[in-house]
Amino acid sequence: MPASRLAVIVLAAGMGTRMKSDLPKVMHPLAGRPMIRHLMETVESLSPQEVVVVVGPGMDCVSEEVSPVRTVVQTDRLGTGHAVRQAREALAEFDGDVLVVFGDTPLITRETLTRMLAERRSVKNPAVVVLGFKPADPGHYGRLVVGAEGLKAIVEWKDANDEQRGIPLCNSGVMAIDGKRLWPLVERLSNANAKGEYYLTDVVALARGDGASCSFVLGEAEELLGVNSRQELAGAEAIVQRRLRQAAMEGGTTLIAPDSVWFSWDTRLGRDVTIWPHVVFGRGVVIGDGVTIKGFCHFEGCTIGDCVELGPFARLRPGAEIGDDAHIGNFVEVKKSSVEKGAKINHLAYVGDARVGAGANVGAGTITCNYDGFDKSFTDIGAGAFIGSNSSLVAPIKVGDGAIVGAGSVVTRDVSSGALAVARGNQMELAGWADRFRDRKKAAKAKG
Ligand code: UD1
Ligand code: CA
């Protein structure tokens, strides 16, 4: 149906000067991925026929991030209206609805955009639908001037008089515009205003002048937070984290202190997972069912089976694969290793580039010595093996199934299945030596 065709223009040409960063603003991460990705996902959920992202010069990283979506470069930043004009060629044939969103307003939801499109497609057939909101502090946002016949104009703060500055209804920047009327409106924008910019917002007054109607829908202030500074980035992160915590709890995870748990956008949690306070999830973490995560753990790029017990203070790094029923305890770091079903590494250990077989027990203070300064080597610990405390396993090395390594060993040769390996100095005993030593020392002190 032609009436439901949709194109989206994403404005992202601003460097974001106030971020004081070498990275384009929209590439700053929220929950571990660039804010533009969050927005693109929301945009894609509307299944638009066309999407064009307007970027600034030298923003190849943004183009790569949104690829295969098309980007056009706005060489001079002459305002939001000028930015939209850059998409004209790419959308020349398009006459459906055009949605304009801002790359630095990443928290907008699909529901809100859908409401705007419904308004745009309503019988009133407004030329422009603006997403308005009422922030606690209206600050320098543009204001919506509304009359009995709907939206009359948007005035930018710099251009507004005192009365207009008193209007609590603000412009979020998001607009749904009739594609048949967009380009003639955009062509007529002028830059005779306080900022000397081509304001997209002026299309409202222009459309009204043509006798068309315009309207607005109200959005939640939280969704429409614009990120212009590191403070606002932190504010946006807090909102994203709150949404992720909410989703985790709705999905059957217990968060004992939700505000202290930090998720990545892609964290996957099974059912009946319990997370104690102060746990941080980096990217690419998958947690099975019935897992208990005690406090102060840090995870990244790892996969956890069912009914695993983790922490407190466990660190799982990329490539850690923890099998069902395993235990990873305090101050244990696991990197690029598989810990198979029911294995236990309960205290103070480093396991890297290794396999820990099913049911094996790795004692306190065990280190896999995986790096010689040039290469990484593999440690293979067999099923049911027992590694005594404070052992160093110098890789490449293999400890067979069911073998025992005596505590304090530095193991440099493979250990056969079922064998005991002890690799440490032999204990010797000198009877009475300690007593004689003390007597000698005391006598010397007494002499002066
Ligand atoms: C804009 C609105 C204002 C609204 C506010 C909401 C206009 C004229 N004003 O103001 O009414 O309250 O957003 O946050 O639209 N951009 C380009 N090229 C440009 C200029 C901007 O791509 O030449 C992009 C920016 O990267 C950004 C977005 O457009 O993603 C908004 O630009 P910005 O300069 O931040 O507009 P505001 O002054 O905040
Ligand atoms: Ca802005």
Side-chain angles (χ1 to χ4, degrees):
M1 281 217 322
S4 66
R5 287 177 57 79
L6 176 66
V8 183
I9 303 175
V10 180
L11 302 191
M15 233 346 251
T17 333
R18 277 189 280 157
M19 296 293 283
K20 300 201 172 71
S21 173
D22 293 338
L23 196 65
K25 177 163 73 177
V26 296
M27 292 301 288
H28 281 263
L30 289 175
R33 68 174 173 177
M35 63 172 101
I36 187 97
R37 230 347 49 245
H38 288 263
L39 180 65
M40 294 308 284
E41 194 159 278
T42 307
V43 164
E44 279 152 23
S45 76
L46 299 169
S47 309
Q49 279 71 38
E50 307 279 350
V51 184
V52 182
V53 181
V54 182
V55 299
M59 288 194 187
D60 297 348
C61 58
V62 179
S63 306
E64 269 166 42
E65 181 62 42
V66 303
S67 165
V69 168
R70 259 184 304 181
T71 45
V72 294
V73 178
Q74 183 193 24
T75 312
D76 300 309
R77 275 188 33 125
L78 303 179
T80 48
H82 181 259
V84 165
R85 200 184 290 162
Q86 310 310 306
R88 182 177 184 160
E89 217 169 287
L91 300 178
E93 305 297 316
F94 189 82
D95 67 353
D97 295 315
V98 177
L99 199 55
V100 178
V101 295
F102 289 177
D104 67 353
T105 309
L107 304 178
I108 189 155
T109 60
R110 178 178 194 274
E111 289 68 34
T112 301
L113 295 175
T114 307
R115 273 199 296 130
M116 289 185 69
L117 289 171
E119 173 71 12
R120 170 45 222 126
R121 292 162 185 173
S122 68
V123 285
K124 290 175 282 178
N125 190 22
V128 182
V129 178
V130 174
L131 180 59
F133 70 125
K134 291 179 177 167
D137 173 16
H140 290 193
Y141 286 113
R143 301 299 207 271
L144 302 194
V145 181
V146 181
E149 350 59 71
L151 182 62
K152 287 161 70 175
I154 303 176
V155 280
E156 287 305 290
W157 190 83
K158 272 202 167 177
D159 299 274
N161 59 34
D162 284 347
E163 190 195 338
Q164 291 166 331
R165 286 181 181 181
I167 299 173
L169 184 57
C170 293
N171 174 29
S172 70
V174 183
M175 287 189 192
I177 307 167
D178 177 1
K180 287 191 266 313
R181 293 183 267 196
L182 172 64
W183 304 118
L185 288 171
V186 164
E187 283 311 314
R188 281 150 63 201
L189 292 173
S190 122
N191 64 353
N193 52 49
K195 279 187 164 176
E197 287 184 1
Y198 296 92
Y199 295 159
L200 178 64
T201 45
D202 286 346
V203 296
V204 171
L206 288 173
R208 289 298 301 259
D210 294 346
S213 76
C214 295
S215 60
F216 68 95
V217 300
L218 261 186
E220 293 287 331
E222 185 182 277
E223 273 183 40
L224 300 172
L225 177 82
V227 177
N228 301 292
S229 63
R230 306 267 181 171
Q231 286 87 337
E232 285 167 343
L233 183 69
E237 178 76 42
I239 294 167
V240 172
Q241 288 298 334
R242 194 168 348 118
R243 287 181 183 174
L244 290 169
R245 290 169 193 142
Q246 222 60 47
M249 291 187 280
E250 274 161 23
T253 293
T254 294
L255 300 180
I256 289 173
D259 289 352
S260 72
V261 177
W262 291 78
F263 289 111
S264 170
W265 63 277
D266 61 350
T267 306
R268 277 169 45 201
L269 300 161
R271 277 170 77 88
D272 289 317
V273 172
T274 299
I275 304 177
W276 287 72
H278 301 292
V279 173
V280 176
F281 293 85
R283 289 166 79 143
V285 177
V286 179
I287 308 273
D289 296 336
V291 171
T292 299
I293 303 171
K294 292 179 183 157
F296 300 97
C297 290
H298 192 284
F299 306 131
E300 194 183 355
C302 55
T303 304
I304 316 296
D306 296 337
C307 303
V308 171
E309 286 186 24
L310 300 165
F313 298 97
R315 179 166 183 216
L316 301 182
R317 291 172 50 204
E321 289 183 11
I322 313 299
D324 297 349
D325 306 311
H327 292 189
I328 308 290
N330 41 266
F331 306 106
V332 172
E333 174 179 343
V334 180
K335 183 219 78 168
K336 203 178 174 193
S337 297
S338 61
V339 176
E340 296 176 352
K341 188 177 164 63
K344 292 190 174 69
I345 314 174
N346 273 331
H347 337 261
L348 300 159
Y350 172 64
V351 174
D353 302 295
R355 176 187 76 104
V356 177
N361 192 315
V362 175
T366 298
I367 307 287
T368 56
C369 307
N370 59 328
Y371 187 49
D372 59 10
F374 296 90
D375 297 307
K376 300 278 168 65
S377 301
F378 190 73
T379 299
D380 189 53
I381 299 172
F386 183 99
I387 311 298
S389 295
N390 206 31
S391 294
S392 302
L393 305 176
V394 182
I397 195 118
K398 182 177 163 70
V399 176
D401 291 351
I404 294 177
V405 169
S409 291
V410 177
V411 181
T412 55
R413 277 177 283 136
D414 288 355
V415 181
S416 312
S417 297
L420 167 71
V422 184
R424 63 183 182 226
N426 278 329
Q427 187 167 328
M428 62 174 194
E429 182 160 322
L430 302 177
W433 188 96
D435 289 341
R436 291 197 299 276
F437 168 76
R438 271 189 221 100
D439 289 347
R440 209 164 58 234
K441 285 289 185 189
K442 280 180 193 157
K445 285 264 186 261
K447 267 190 183 171

